Amino acid sequence: PGMRERVKAYLISNSQVGSSLASGRGHCPFRAGSARRSSFLVGVDAASAAARARRMRLASQLDDAEAAARCREAAESGAGAIRFGGSLALRQPLAALERQLPALRCLDLSHCIYVENRTVPRVLRWLPNLIELDLTCCYELTDSAIVQLAGLRHLERLSLEGCSQVSDAGLGPILVASASRLKHLNIAGLLEVTDAGLLAAGAAEEPAWRNLESFDCTACFRLGHPGLKSVLEPSLPRQLRSLKLGGVRYALPALICEPLDLVAPQLADLDLEGCVQMDARVGQAIADDHRFPALRRVRLAACPRLPPAACEAVRAARPKLLVDDAVRMAWLDGGLRQDQHGVIRLLHLALKFGVMCLVGWGVFTVWLGVVPAHVWVLFISASVAITLAYLTFAIGVFILTAAF
């Protein structure tokens, strides 16, 4: 009660953008960093969201020369971070730099969708001491550029969310060089990444994942149990605070349930939405507050092997735990949006079915020897109706198998 008024008061007191929002005189189109959906941030995130909206509004018109000037100004003023999130005009934001900026620790290029591969070598050259790098939704970046990030020797926070052209060839060398230091890793939406990309971290000289606090592999449909196990075994019993496995169809219950004496003292946010292998054992493990004492929120939607009674048992055992088991439409169309090859195969099947109907009816009419006009009209109508019905059924089956 009263949260809306408190949020308005906080916004008004902390930013001009917040004042505009609270008074209804303007709007603020910012996005939450999620590969699955976009939303407006509310509650405790309101202040940071308003600040981010202001940065995005100011940065949206920046070109490459202005971006380089901003970098120099930030370095001269002693600022440790520079953020260009949402700057659609940027192609090579560091092209105009002429000297290193060792004081900069954070570079945000999220949603700069036209940033080119040539930007990455300049990051290594001019910003050698980066700790945090956000490349969310930089769609133009490929493995040949991403692999060079292995040269960042101080990297602790990395987001490659939505960089759909990145595969194991680009991610693996980064993990070999940085897995022992990484605290936050976001690879959500990397559809080409497999277990081999995560297992590559085992080749590092120092123990991998020992400092990991947040791991997000949402919608990485090709990841499986071996790769996830290699990440969670060293990090989950130590300091992992946020784990998001949404849509990873091959994640097995053993990740959460084994070993039996597993204790994750820091884990507060767990996302298993769309993990079709999860069953009642996962519900029992989550209900055990000795295993996950710090857990505050868990998502269990679209887990067909997890009975509703298991979710109710979790709520009864831990009334303060937020259990989200509501199915969202975003998952229903996830398979069609993410698996383009599957869509093509589906259309081919529908076409073959229609051709088979035509051939069958043609043979039948030839055998009869008489084909009245009204019969052809009836035939065409029936063929269209049958094809549409089949296509609707096939799409439904495809959604359930591909998205879940």
Side-chain angles (χ1 to χ4, degrees):
M3 173 62 76
R4 181 183 296 274
E5 297 302 320
R6 292 201 297 273
V7 169
K8 286 184 177 180
Y10 201 94
L11 287 171
I12 292 172
S13 63
N14 282 275
S15 75
Q16 295 177 354
V17 175
S19 178
S20 176
L21 279 172
S23 62
R25 295 192 297 270
H27 68 282
C28 182
F30 49 81
R31 286 176 288 179
S34 171
R36 297 174 300 172
R37 64 183 69 88
S38 61
S39 62
F40 285 97
L41 302 183
V42 295
V44 295
D45 294 327
S48 61
R52 179 181 178 185
R54 179 167 53 185
R55 290 195 302 268
M56 291 182 68
R57 183 184 64 178
L58 295 176
S60 60
Q61 305 300 323
L62 292 180
D63 58 20
D64 294 338
E66 292 172 333
R70 290 285 182 89
C71 288
R72 288 191 292 266
E73 292 174 4
E76 293 171 359
S77 64
I82 188 70
R83 303 183 185 276
F84 299 120
S87 302
L88 302 183
L90 291 183
R91 266 63 173 180
Q92 303 178 51
L94 306 180
L97 288 181
E98 299 176 353
R99 62 184 179 87
Q100 287 191 347
L101 305 178
L104 281 178
R105 298 291 191 269
C106 172
L107 177 62
D108 180 3
L109 295 175
S110 60
H111 301 97
C112 298
I113 60 177
Y114 298 114
V115 165
E116 301 175 356
N117 279 342
R118 286 176 290 181
T119 298
V120 176
R122 295 188 176 101
V123 169
L124 299 178
R125 181 178 181 182
W126 304 123
L127 310 176
N129 296 328
L130 275 185
I131 294 178
E132 178 178 353
L133 179 60
D134 190 344
L135 298 176
T136 298
C137 295
C138 292
Y139 303 120
E140 299 296 326
L141 298 182
T142 62
D143 286 333
S144 61
I146 293 297
V147 70
Q148 300 179 57
L149 295 178
L152 293 175
R153 298 303 179 183
H154 305 282
L155 193 62
E156 296 180 359
R157 305 169 67 96
L158 175 64
S159 176
L160 299 175
E161 177 182 349
C163 297
S164 55
Q165 298 191 60
V166 177
S167 65
D168 295 335
L171 182 64
I174 299 176
L175 299 184
V176 171
S178 306
S180 61
R181 298 187 305 273
L182 282 175
K183 295 182 179 180
H184 300 271
L185 177 62
N186 185 351
I187 57 172
L190 301 192
L191 306 180
E192 300 301 323
V193 169
T194 66
D195 290 335
L198 296 181
L199 292 173
E205 297 179 358
E206 301 180 12
W209 313 117
R210 61 182 182 181
N211 294 314
L212 193 65
E213 298 179 3
S214 175
F215 180 61
D216 187 348
C217 61
T218 299
C220 293
F221 296 134
R222 300 181 65 185
L223 279 183
H225 185 78
L228 295 174
K229 183 179 179 182
S230 69
V231 176
L232 299 183
E233 270 191 343
S235 63
L236 191 58
R238 295 169 61 89
Q239 69 291 319
L240 193 66
R241 301 176 184 272
S242 176
L243 175 61
K244 298 181 179 181
L245 305 178
V248 182
R249 293 172 288 181
Y250 304 114
L252 300 180
L255 291 172
I256 306 299
C257 304
E258 297 179 2
L260 297 179
D261 58 348
L262 172 67
V263 176
Q266 304 294 331
L267 188 64
D269 187 5
L270 177 62
D271 184 357
L272 301 176
E273 183 177 0
C275 296
V276 297
Q277 305 292 336
M278 299 299 165
D279 53 26
R281 291 176 295 167
V282 173
Q284 296 174 0
I286 294 173
D288 186 359
D289 56 359
H290 297 291
R291 182 185 289 260
F292 303 111
L295 196 60
R296 295 293 177 266
R297 180 172 59 180
V298 61
R299 299 179 183 87
L300 299 173
C303 297
R305 298 188 182 182
L306 185 66
C311 296
E312 296 302 325
V314 173
R315 291 190 177 97
R318 306 186 66 173
K320 295 184 178 180
L321 177 63
L322 176 60
V323 180
D324 183 0
D325 58 350
V327 178
R328 295 175 176 82
M329 293 303 295
W331 278 110
L332 294 181
D333 65 348
L336 294 178
R337 287 187 291 104
Q338 303 290 356
D339 193 350
Q340 301 299 325
H341 297 291
V343 175
I344 295 174
R345 290 196 301 271
L346 179 62
L347 295 178
H348 285 174
L349 285 176
L351 181 60
K352 290 178 181 179
F353 183 80
V355 171
M356 289 173 61
C357 290
L358 288 173
V359 172
W361 183 259
V363 172
F364 179 69
T365 55
V366 170
W367 178 69
L368 290 178
V370 179
V371 186
H374 70 277
V375 174
W376 278 111
V377 173
L378 179 63
F379 156 69
I380 294 174
S381 302
S383 298
V384 171
I386 293 173
T387 302
L388 290 177
Y390 172 77
L391 185 60
T392 302
F393 171 77
I395 288 177
V397 173
F398 179 78
I399 288 173
L400 292 177
T401 56
F404 296 155

